[in-house]
Amino acid sequence: MNTDTESAETATATTEADPTPDSPAAEPTPAAKDRRWQIWRGLRGWRERYPATARAVSWGTTGLAAVLVYFALLMPNQLPLLTPGRFIRIPAEAVLGAALLLVLPPRPRRVAAALGGVVIGLTAILNAVDMGYYSQLDRRFNPMLDWMLFSDAESFLKDSIGQVAAIAVAVVAVLLVLAVPAVMALAVVRLSNVLVRHRARANRGALVAGTAWIVCATLGLQIAGVPVASRSATSALRSRVEQVNQTRRDDVVFAKQAAVDKFADTPADQLLTGLRGKNVIFTFIESYGRSAIEDPVEAPGVDAALTAGTKQLNAAGFASKSGWLTSSTYGAGSWLGHSTFMSGLWINNQQRYNTITGSDRMSLTGAFAKTGAWRTVGIMPGVQRAWPEGKFYKFDKIYNSSQLGYQGPKFSWSTMPDQYTLEAYQRLEAGKKQDKPLMSMMILTSSHNPWAPLPRTIGWDQIGDGTVYNAIRQAGADPVKVWQHAKDVQAAYGQSIEYSVSNLIDYVTKYGDKNTVLVFLGDHQPNTTVSGTHASRDVPVTIVAHDPAVLKRIDSWNWTDGLQPAHNAPVWKMSSFRDRFLTAYGPQSGVS
């Protein structure tokens, strides 16, 4: 036997059976290649067995991809704009995108298509979020400032529809946020592959579409009032970038505004001289807006409650005057309205709120504290966690939801009924002997969205620790059912305002005296389901007093007598109230 020949044959056999991957000469055998593609051929085998079905699926997938991209490019950010006419348009982004993809090499083309799809998907998500914001808050989503509202929304959903359903909604939302950009990226990549496979026809189509877009743009052609030549996606992206830049600039602008305070250097003995010796209560009624007084659905019941309340106050020796304030927020964000009213500055976003509550600017409640003539108290049943911003208001004592002694059930978001809050305030502070008059800021929450179930008024001596409300809560309406019809929501909202206002007036006539002064107002309008789209931001504001001298000081304001402001009563920005109030109740010649 030839040993050299035998060794060579053995080596050859070994190389063919087990090629070394690192060897340049190594080549996979036909068997290895078969194994490598076996699974893939198995998946593709059905195409050969069912060619017609395969073609239909392929065309359908491509068609779906085109529809998704087309819809996303033309998608508006407000529900009323979501009309058929909106989609009979030529998106410039599609024409330019197709032209770009047709000239790029394979790898850059795939990368560009995927990135473009992600951008389109993210834009669609932001437009969808805008729809929700416009439908509830009548404004668009601010990607720099509004993230914290998602936790509030989750808490609201949990209180309204239950924890399990709220978690399910959150999970679905997260999955959509992850899935939409991914699906859109795959859709654009697929469309780019189709374009390249049919390059000649795609080039002609892009040229025709581009020419049509230019003609329509030049002639200003429209369908149902919407331009046929669309740049929606590009405009939306540019607008979003400008929104971010404007938000960043606003911080500097607001800091300059906050530094100007004409009362900052006013001596303590010259502040609020017209209210010395009075027990002053500032009360915000959740979502108490102009709609409650003027909307055809809600107004009849609320107006009747205000008329009855005015008569009740007059019989007890009290008088009142009312006007309008334009809130800095709408539909939600109550804390923005509270801080605007108290700071004398326009607080319309979270950035401004954080700035002002972290500053040493004198709030309206802070002015009372500065005098040293009042004990200052905050009654905050809606505060359910740490609230460091409370330091801004200069309270001697803050009572949050866990410090008011309530042992009853929550009413959706509201932690306790307003009547209980008022009774707790009387028990914990107002009913006790004090060394100084009391200045209080109170937030009433029973009229908070979703307005179901609602508490009902009971005897003040029946309130106790609140456990009496268990049966009332169980007998209340299901918010899910109420929210199936807008008219039911509006009716429930009106009932909640009637409840809050009536109990507040009952409290004043039951516990108030000659030194009681009440200032109550709404923090913002209810959401668009109740107030309608593009409603005003106006809220009612009322001052109630037993001493005629208190209301005499605001005669020049020309407010309406009684609890119900006239339609044409003066309307001021909410941020102007602090300075007007401090001026009216500061030293005045000839006014005692």
Side-chain angles (χ1 to χ4, degrees):
M1 179 181 290
N2 189 321
T3 306
D4 294 337
T5 303
E6 184 177 289
S7 299
E9 290 175 351
T10 303
T12 302
T14 302
T15 301
E16 290 178 351
D18 186 18
T20 303
D22 294 333
S23 172
E27 291 291 341
T29 64
K33 289 181 179 180
D34 287 343
R35 287 195 299 273
R36 184 179 297 175
W37 295 101
Q38 184 177 6
I39 297 177
W40 176 245
R41 285 203 306 270
L43 292 174
R44 296 188 60 187
W46 72 275
R47 294 176 181 271
E48 299 173 359
R49 294 193 300 271
Y50 308 103
T53 302
R55 285 195 299 271
V57 171
S58 179
W59 293 344
T61 303
T62 302
L64 178 60
V67 169
L68 288 175
V69 173
Y70 184 79
F71 179 86
L73 289 174
L74 297 176
M75 177 184 179
N77 66 346
Q78 297 185 49
L79 281 172
L81 300 179
L82 197 62
T83 60
R86 184 86 184 185
F87 298 95
I88 309 176
R89 309 168 73 196
I90 304 172
E93 300 83 6
V95 178
L96 294 174
L100 175 64
L101 293 175
L102 284 168
V103 300
L104 287 175
R107 180 170 295 180
R109 171 174 55 81
R110 288 191 292 271
V111 173
L115 290 177
V118 170
V119 171
I120 293 172
L122 291 176
T123 302
I125 290 172
L126 288 174
N127 284 338
V129 175
D130 278 351
M131 286 183 184
Y133 266 66
Y134 274 113
S135 67
Q136 296 297 314
L137 310 180
D138 203 23
R139 67 174 178 86
R140 64 177 177 167
F141 171 70
N142 189 319
M144 287 191 69
L145 303 177
D146 287 340
W147 297 107
M148 70 157 291
L149 295 181
F150 289 150
S151 62
D152 291 329
E154 188 274 336
S155 176
F156 168 72
L157 284 174
K158 183 172 65 175
D159 293 330
S160 302
I161 62 177
Q163 185 170 4
V164 174
I167 292 174
V169 170
V171 170
V172 170
V174 171
L175 291 177
L176 286 174
V177 169
L178 296 175
V180 170
V183 169
M184 207 61 69
L186 293 174
V188 177
V189 169
R190 183 177 185 85
L191 293 176
S192 71
N193 292 335
V194 173
L195 290 174
V196 171
R197 285 201 302 270
H198 305 280
R199 189 182 297 274
R201 280 183 288 178
N203 281 328
R204 290 194 296 270
L207 180 61
V208 170
T211 302
W213 189 95
I214 292 172
V215 171
C216 292
T218 302
L219 299 178
L221 296 181
Q222 297 185 353
I223 295 179
V226 180
V228 175
S230 166
R231 293 179 295 181
S232 298
T234 304
S235 298
L237 185 60
R238 183 173 62 250
S239 176
R240 193 71 64 178
V241 171
E242 176 56 30
Q243 181 189 34
V244 171
N245 290 333
Q246 184 178 355
T247 300
R248 295 172 63 182
R249 293 193 299 268
D250 180 69
D251 197 27
V252 177
V253 173
F254 181 68
K256 293 180 180 179
Q257 295 174 354
V260 179
D261 184 356
K262 71 176 186 178
F263 287 96
D265 299 324
T266 302
D269 61 358
Q270 294 182 29
L271 287 171
L272 299 162
T273 55
L275 291 173
R276 298 299 172 101
K278 305 299 183 185
N279 295 306
V280 183
I281 311 171
F282 292 99
T283 302
F284 290 91
I285 297 179
E286 171 66 38
S287 301
Y288 179 34
R290 185 185 278 264
S291 297
I293 293 177
E294 297 184 351
D295 185 89
V297 176
E298 304 110 46
V302 174
D303 290 349
L306 294 173
T307 299
T310 299
K311 293 179 179 178
Q312 183 179 346
L313 287 170
N314 291 342
F318 290 89
S320 55
K321 287 181 179 291
S322 302
W324 301 105
L325 298 176
T326 301
S327 178
S328 60
T329 185
Y330 177 95
S334 301
W335 59 93
L336 303 180
H338 303 162
S339 55
T340 294
F341 181 83
M342 289 295 176
S343 71
L345 294 169
W346 194 249
I347 315 297
N348 62 346
N349 61 50
Q350 191 63 31
Q351 180 173 271
R352 289 189 167 206
Y353 178 77
N354 292 340
T355 298
I356 195 61
T357 55
S359 73
D360 59 358
R361 183 180 175 87
M362 185 177 71
S363 63
L364 187 52
T365 50
F368 282 86
K370 182 177 178 179
T371 66
W374 279 272
R375 171 173 166 77
T376 58
V377 175
I379 307 296
M380 306 292 165
V383 174
Q384 303 175 54
R385 52 194 175 194
W387 190 45
E389 304 96 313
K391 296 178 181 178
F392 169 72
Y393 296 105
K394 306 299 183 186
F395 295 126
D396 293 321
K397 173 67 176 178
I398 296 176
Y399 293 89
N400 62 26
S401 62
S402 65
Q403 296 172 311
L404 292 169
Y406 184 65
Q407 301 299 315
K410 294 179 69 174
F411 285 77
S412 289
W413 185 89
S414 180
T415 58
M416 63 194 69
D418 291 345
Q419 189 180 15
Y420 179 90
T421 300
L422 290 161
E423 180 63 25
Y425 167 65
Q426 181 66 23
R427 168 171 46 84
L428 295 170
E429 288 287 346
K432 292 183 177 181
K433 183 176 179 60
Q434 304 281 354
D435 295 334
K436 301 176 182 178
L438 199 59
M439 190 249 40
S440 309
M441 175 177 161
M442 184 184 309
I443 314 297
L444 298 182
T445 63
S446 288
S447 51
H448 193 286
N449 185 340
W451 307 300
L454 290 173
R456 59 178 175 81
T457 301
I458 60 178
W460 292 85
D461 58 349
Q462 298 177 347
I463 295 174
D465 64 359
T467 53
V468 66
Y469 290 104
N470 283 312
I472 297 173
R473 167 66 177 81
Q474 291 176 1
D478 183 345
V480 175
K481 293 182 179 179
V482 169
W483 275 78
Q484 292 177 357
H485 304 286
K487 291 293 184 182
D488 292 341
V489 178
Q490 291 174 295
Y493 163 75
Q495 292 165 12
S496 74
I497 297 298
E498 293 175 45
Y499 171 83
S500 296
V501 170
S502 296
N503 279 285
L504 183 58
I505 300 308
D506 285 349
Y507 172 83
V508 172
T509 56
K510 179 177 178 62
Y511 293 117
D513 57 27
K514 64 180 182 179
N515 289 321
T516 298
V517 176
L518 169 67
V519 181
F520 75 94
L521 68 153
D523 46 19
H524 55 70
Q525 281 264 54
N527 62 35
T528 55
T529 304
V530 174
S531 59
T533 56
H534 307 302
S536 76
R537 301 312 198 251
D538 297 345
V539 300
V541 57
T542 299
I543 298 181
V544 178
H546 196 283
D547 184 351
V550 173
L551 294 183
K552 184 178 180 180
R553 284 186 171 249
I554 63 169
D555 279 344
S556 62
W557 292 3
N558 296 317
W559 281 12
T560 306
D561 289 334
L563 300 179
Q564 183 177 349
H567 177 76
N568 60 350
V571 181
W572 306 334
K573 290 186 70 173
M574 187 178 281
S575 55
S576 72
F577 185 86
R578 188 204 73 152
D579 287 4
R580 289 177 183 269
F581 189 87
L582 291 176
T583 299
Y585 292 103
Q588 293 184 3
S589 177
V591 180
S592 59

